[in-house]
Amino acid sequence: MKDIFTWLLLLVPASALSAYLTSEDSLVTFAVATLAVIPLAEWIRRATEHLALRAGPAIGGLLNVSFGNTAELILALFVLAAGKGDVVKAQLTGAIIGNALLGLGLSIVVGSWGREKQTFNRAHAGQLASLLVLSTIGLTLPALFDYSMRGETPSGRLIRDEHLSLAVSVVFISLYKANLVYTLVTHRGVFAYAEDDAHDGERHVPWPIWKAMTVLATATMVTAFEAEMISGALEPAAVQLGLSEFFLGIILLAVIGNAAEYVSAMYFARKNQMGLAVSITVGSTIQISLLVAPVLVIVSALMGTPMNLVFSSPLELVAIGAVVFSISAIAQDGETTWFEGVLLLAIYVLFALAFYFV
Amino acid sequence: MKDIFTWLLLLVPASALSAYLTSEDSLVTFAVATLAVIPLAEWIRRATEHLALRAGPAIGGLLNVSFGNTAELILALFVLAAGKGDVVKAQLTGAIIGNALLGLGLSIVVGSWGREKQTFNRAHAGQLASLLVLSTIGLTLPALFDYSMRGETPSGRLIRDEHLSLAVSVVFISLYKANLVYTLVTHRGVFAYAEDDAHDGERHVPWPIWKAMTVLATATMVTAFEAEMISGALEPAAVQLGLSEFFLGIILLAVIGNAAEYVSAMYFARKNQMGLAVSITVGSTIQISLLVAPVLVIVSALMGTPMNLVFSSPLELVAIGAVVFSISAIAQDGETTWFEGVLLLAIYVLFALAFYFV
Amino acid sequence: MKDIFTWLLLLVPASALSAYLTSEDSLVTFAVATLAVIPLAEWIRRATEHLALRAGPAIGGLLNVSFGNTAELILALFVLAAGKGDVVKAQLTGAIIGNALLGLGLSIVVGSWGREKQTFNRAHAGQLASLLVLSTIGLTLPALFDYSMRGETPSGRLIRDEHLSLAVSVVFISLYKANLVYTLVTHRGVFAYAEDDAHDGERHVPWPIWKAMTVLATATMVTAFEAEMISGALEPAAVQLGLSEFFLGIILLAVIGNAAEYVSAMYFARKNQMGLAVSITVGSTIQISLLVAPVLVIVSALMGTPMNLVFSSPLELVAIGAVVFSISAIAQDGETTWFEGVLLLAIYVLFALAFYFV
């Protein structure tokens, strides 16, 4: 697995070369820079993991959890800085449906190949499903509030959308801290098994701290470099491809920050550790609500280009709701079979179609 | 049980007589022709079952599943040909809420008479509930898409509704094929028990193929004959009864194609085979999404009177959503008690009331 | 526990004094009268319980269940008589989210202090969750119907809202009777354990009937007296506090009628009887749909100031839906941990924020 992501790093110089040979906002540059984020996200993840191993379980867990979405956040921040708040929100929605439908769907299909069914711990999956339900209600609240108030004059509504989004974000950051205490301190036992399993076959000596730090810093900076190219080339790329920026955000940008994670989830599913695959994909979905979205709202307010949480299309809410339903339905019986994976993928395809028509 | 459905066949000549004595679109003709569909649906089901027994398990299962909704489809096609797409969609919604609320509710009430509770296999019911959730999300997607876009100009929206409905239908037909492989090939064991149980008390020699084929062909043709009368008499009947065609579609037409199935479900519930009653009613609900609706969309496009999947009233979506919630809630604990049955029936009554007021 | 509620009764003369010293609709009078409802609700509950113990299990259960919401009903009736139907509906919504999010959330947090997790009977909780889902669908049906029909002329719609709300109420009162038969006759065993547990530590001699009757009658009358002051002072209080009457209804009035119940639930949660805490809070939530709301609709029609069940803000529906999702998610795994309690409280806070902005 390691090899592929090392080779894929060649996409980084390739993107620079393309920017030089064609132009900074050519379709080729956009495509190569986008793909280059995939290995960068993976290397950020690895550096964090090695740092975490050195730092001991408590702080290590904190590091792992906090830097898990770095690539995604950087990309979103550059798109936001380019004044495309709606694309960022599309990216959030896309990450949620990508993780839970595409990532988990692929894992189930890959994992159930040649097996009648795979089982996982119902209690743990149920707890993740509860968290997902509750965090999703909060995430969608500002949008639901906005739609409910559509009858009124838009001016006052927009300010209240702003205030409500900020308030929700503050509550969520607090919840996120509480969740860290929960998973890393009071209920370590429940969540730790995942980490132990994860390193089962591949337990090796952690990198020295200086190496981990260097890789982390370098990969983060290079990601920022690619993110700048992507956000700049987004508009012309959309025009040339005949697609909306919204569609590129919700399908393409949303997936690349998490693609490496999907590969991990598929890897563990194939090894019949379905519980771990569920933890990775659903856990990552929950993080979008509890951490990524609130951070973006707060940072955007500080940047002077405030972004609220009112999704531009009601269909985004429908998609997020569908994810909640699907994950609850899957988690409920503690079993997965290939047809459930196919269904998740089919729903993802249906939403992609719908977003294409929007 | 057999006798009743044989005697009820007398409704067929009665409907012809009524058309001759009164008129082809009199209220009496409408009523008798509608009732005549009930025994015809049952005889189509029986002929299919006998054919299936002759054909062996794999092809037999395929036959059983594919011809299970013949009467319903024929009726819908004739109504569609009469240019009443909204009534057909009402019929689909009505079949979904009819199967899951009325059919299952009646089964639970009948089955729990004199019993404290009835139990069924939670894992199997959970899987059916998952399928129901996921297929329903797809079925309602075009309508949700349409409502989300209501702000825009209608012209472009209608074309996109059309395209999206067709795309959803194609995805669903593929899913349906995958589901056949799932239930008949890779996971036969899980789903087969139902069939074995079904014939428990009444295992008899299957009809010879020529007899089964003749019954199937005849009953299908006679159903078409009745369906033509029903679709023709629908409008005058609605006027005379002071009801909307929509109401007749969602309550009356939706139920008659499935009435025989409800009788089976109640029969097994009474014999304390609650799992089978759940399989029949919920399975039939899933089939509406995965097979009946997509076939109607595709056939209607070929007939030149394209029907999309945008339900005419948002309340239809609410009703479908309520079904999903109810079934998930029922399936979750693997038990049914009479009060749950009463609740399902009460919800059906409430929706019937609401549809009456629409 | 008893002492506090006895001392709190001093709020009753305090409210009369405040009305005399300041004015009948001063902010102080409003505040004191509101707080005075808390001990009155508790004393009504106690008197009912003692009556019930004297009356034997069947009629006793009936009494307990029927008088459990007396204080809430009286308050709502006076607010209704003051012509504030929307505040009464806000109160209903507020009671639903208050019981299920605030009451249960507090119980979970209080109960899980110093415990890794608390468990409860999944089957029983699942049944309560089923009831909650199904009764909520009915309660929200008139509002969903109304929103679905928003395109039409308002005049006809309002009359149909009225009719549908009445029809739903009649169906619900019947369901409520069926539910009494269910919990008190046919399935006594399932639900009785709760009552037995409840009196575990504090089994004492029941009051004589005359004492229980006197306390019940007096507390009820005094509650009516306070309710009259509250409903009269509501408008000026809202103005002085800079809050909407809607907000006062959904947050303040909704909670005071149930505050004593929250204390019980927390008490049992602390004693590690989490199942009982779930029964109290979720059971009380179900009662709002099955009894309180229908009684208010029917009584309001008889009073000549008909109230329908169309909630004034769509956000109320969202909040009720969120409750259903949350409770289903919590009930599903039969376990509670402190973080789930924190999540419920956070959602309550988020909704309070949103209702503040409405």
Side-chain angles (χ1 to χ4, degrees), chain C residues 208-224:
Chain C
I209 291 185
W210 66 265
K211 183 180 168 190
M213 293 287 271
T214 312
V215 171
L216 183 59
T218 314
T220 303
M221 276 185 299
V222 178
T223 304

Side-chain angles (χ1 to χ4, degrees), chain C residues 133-220:
Chain C
V133 169
L134 299 174
S135 60
T136 306
I137 291 170
L139 180 68
T140 52
L141 190 59
L144 293 166
F145 172 78
D146 181 80
Y147 300 148
S148 304
M149 302 294 115
R150 277 281 154 95
E152 297 186 29
T153 52
S155 61
R157 213 184 64 217
L158 282 179
I159 293 167
R160 287 185 296 182
D161 282 351
E162 191 61 42
H163 288 325
L164 188 56
S165 296
L166 267 174
V168 167
S169 300
V170 170
V171 172
F172 268 15
I173 297 282
S174 316
L175 273 183
Y176 186 72
K177 286 182 198 153
N179 191 31
L180 286 180
V181 174
Y182 183 65
T183 48
L184 300 176
V185 186
T186 67
H187 288 68
R188 270 222 71 193
V190 184
F191 292 90
Y193 91 98
E195 291 168 41
D196 294 342
D197 276 8
H199 303 285
D200 208 31
E202 39 169 315
R203 197 181 299 276
H204 33 228
V205 182
W207 297 344
I209 291 185
W210 66 265
K211 183 180 168 190
M213 293 287 271
T214 312
V215 171
L216 183 59
T218 314
T220 303

Side-chain angles (χ1 to χ4, degrees), chain A residues 25-76:
Chain A
D25 53 6
S26 74
L27 192 56
V28 179
T29 309
F30 178 75
V32 179
T34 303
L35 290 174
V37 172
I38 296 174
L40 288 166
E42 172 66 12
W43 281 98
I44 291 174
R45 198 185 66 75
R46 283 183 198 174
T48 312
E49 209 169 84
H50 284 273
L51 262 188
L53 286 175
R54 291 269 170 208
I59 299 175
L62 183 64
L63 286 172
N64 255 331
V65 167
S66 304
F67 285 89
N69 300 87
T70 309
E72 206 164 0
L73 259 174
I74 292 172
L75 186 56

